[in-house]
Amino acid sequence: MRAILIILTTIILFGCTKDNTNMNSYNLENQIYLSFKNANGQNLLDNSTENSYNIEAMKLFYLVNDEPVEVTIENGFNMGSIELTSDKLLKVFTNPSSSNIVEETSEYNVAENIAYLQLSSTDTDTIKTHSRTSQNYFLVSKVWYNNELVWERDNGGIIEITKE
């Protein structure tokens, strides 16, 4: 009986390791937060603001094989495309594709993706993202809104867009 306890104790002690290099987790951070304001600083995502956007009418498209594809479950995208947060920000899920690599480093690759945010029937904006991607993560690192660099991971924060 004592031999069995010694064997079990040995297995338990040497079976545990502090080396976490073989982790089976994946960190997907492909969402960005947008704030839309008019020239007076009023929130255009708040229904009480005159000429506010109708969240229900908004659509998100990913550029896939040089064609815009609407982000819907029916089109094979299983996560939400856009959501309104409780503090009246627009949470946009960017394209998590790692196929368009524009830069390679020893630690990660950088993937570029394009999305189109249709705010209304007459107003569609372009969102370009660069994301760091590796075996264990996909992290948005830079965001361009209508060709203007508006966000970098190192600075963080909410992307504020002013609409005229």
Side-chain angles (χ1 to χ4, degrees), residues 4-150:
I4 293 174
L5 286 175
I6 292 173
I7 291 172
L8 285 175
T9 303
T10 304
I11 290 172
I12 291 170
L13 287 175
F14 290 103
C16 297
T17 178
K18 291 182 180 180
D19 182 17
N20 291 329
T21 58
N22 192 15
M23 295 176 61
N24 291 324
S25 63
Y26 191 80
N27 183 13
L28 174 63
E29 290 184 26
N30 68 320
Q31 67 276 4
I32 59 174
Y33 294 89
L34 301 173
S35 166
F36 290 95
K37 301 204 174 184
N38 61 20
N40 297 326
Q42 296 170 307
N43 189 345
L44 291 172
L45 298 174
D46 186 341
N47 291 337
S48 65
T49 301
E50 188 177 339
N51 297 320
S52 65
Y53 291 117
N54 178 358
I55 304 302
E56 303 301 319
M58 289 184 183
K59 295 180 182 179
L60 183 67
F61 299 85
Y62 292 159
L63 189 64
V64 178
N65 297 324
D66 294 324
E67 293 291 327
V69 177
E70 186 175 359
V71 179
T72 64
I73 291 173
E74 293 81 14
N75 287 339
F77 299 101
N78 61 354
M79 63 175 63
S81 59
I82 51 178
E83 298 174 5
L84 184 64
T85 66
S86 60
D87 47 351
K88 306 283 190 212
L89 298 172
L90 192 66
K91 181 178 184 180
V92 178
F93 292 90
T94 64
N95 189 347
S97 172
S98 299
S99 61
N100 188 24
I101 303 299
V102 294
E103 181 183 342
E104 295 181 24
T105 72
S106 60
E107 297 175 26
Y108 57 83
N109 292 330
V110 176
E112 180 177 278
N113 288 294
I114 305 289
Y116 301 104
L117 179 59
Q118 185 177 7
L119 298 165
S120 69
S121 60
T122 59
D123 191 2
T124 300
D125 292 342
T126 302
I127 301 171
K128 178 173 85 170
T129 57
H130 279 188
S131 302
R132 295 178 191 153
T133 180
S134 78
Q135 180 178 348
N136 293 344
Y137 60 85
F138 184 96
L139 308 169
V140 174
S141 56
K142 292 182 180 180
V143 177
W144 288 262
Y145 198 89
N146 290 334
N147 295 318
E148 180 183 342
L149 181 63
V150 293

